[in-house]
Amino acid sequence: QVQLVESGGGLVQAGGSLRLSCAASGPTFSSYFMGWFRQAPGKDRQYIARITASGSATYYADSVKGRFTISRDNAKNTVYLQMNSLKPEDTAVYYCAAKRPLISEYEYWGQGTQVTVSS
């Protein structure tokens, strides 16, 4: 069982930056792929970034590529999402999630953190 707690959300002006953190419980954090998702009001959940268990490979959705960076510190059981050049359309609730490498669906989810970007 993995428990995830996001933090770092808030209100920022367009062009600004935020760093989200996701702290995980459990001794096996380093064996999980970690992902970040977001959901804006009235829209479907969007998969925006993923990092492998070792941190050696990442994936980004086109909408955030070049602006967002996912990273992890396995010694601290934490995954991060550095968000730069924020746009009003980045406004959403951001969720982190964890899955084992051979499992297709994400198995564990955080409660979410609100990010609001003002124009």
Side-chain angles (χ1 to χ4, degrees):
Q1 188 80 5
V2 177
Q3 293 185 325
L4 304 172
V5 179
E6 301 98 335
S7 61
L11 174 64
V12 63
Q13 288 189 332
S17 298
L18 282 175
R19 188 177 80 156
L20 305 183
S21 299
C22 173
S25 65
T28 58
F29 172 77
S30 61
S31 63
Y32 285 83
F33 280 27
M34 298 299 297
W36 284 98
F37 295 75
R38 67 185 182 186
Q39 189 165 22
K43 295 189 176 181
D44 292 336
R45 186 173 61 197
Q46 183 187 16
Y47 186 22
I48 58 171
R50 183 212 69 208
I51 189 166
T52 53
S54 66
S56 61
T58 56
Y59 154 83
Y60 297 97
D62 287 343
S63 58
V64 306
K65 196 174 296 182
R67 300 188 298 123
F68 291 11
T69 303
I70 188 171
S71 62
R72 67 190 296 159
D73 185 339
N74 285 342
K76 294 183 178 180
N77 278 18
T78 302
V79 63
Y80 305 98
L81 186 68
Q82 178 67 44
M83 306 186 295
N84 298 330
S85 302
L86 283 162
K87 305 175 182 179
E89 52 263 44
D90 294 319
T91 295
V93 178
Y94 284 71
Y95 300 89
C96 68
K99 73 176 188 77
R100 287 166 287 174
L102 298 182
I103 303 298
S104 59
E105 299 295 323
Y106 279 85
E107 303 171 84
Y108 304 102
W109 293 82
Q111 83 288 350
T113 187
Q114 176 71 46
V115 172
T116 303
V117 184
S118 63
S119 57

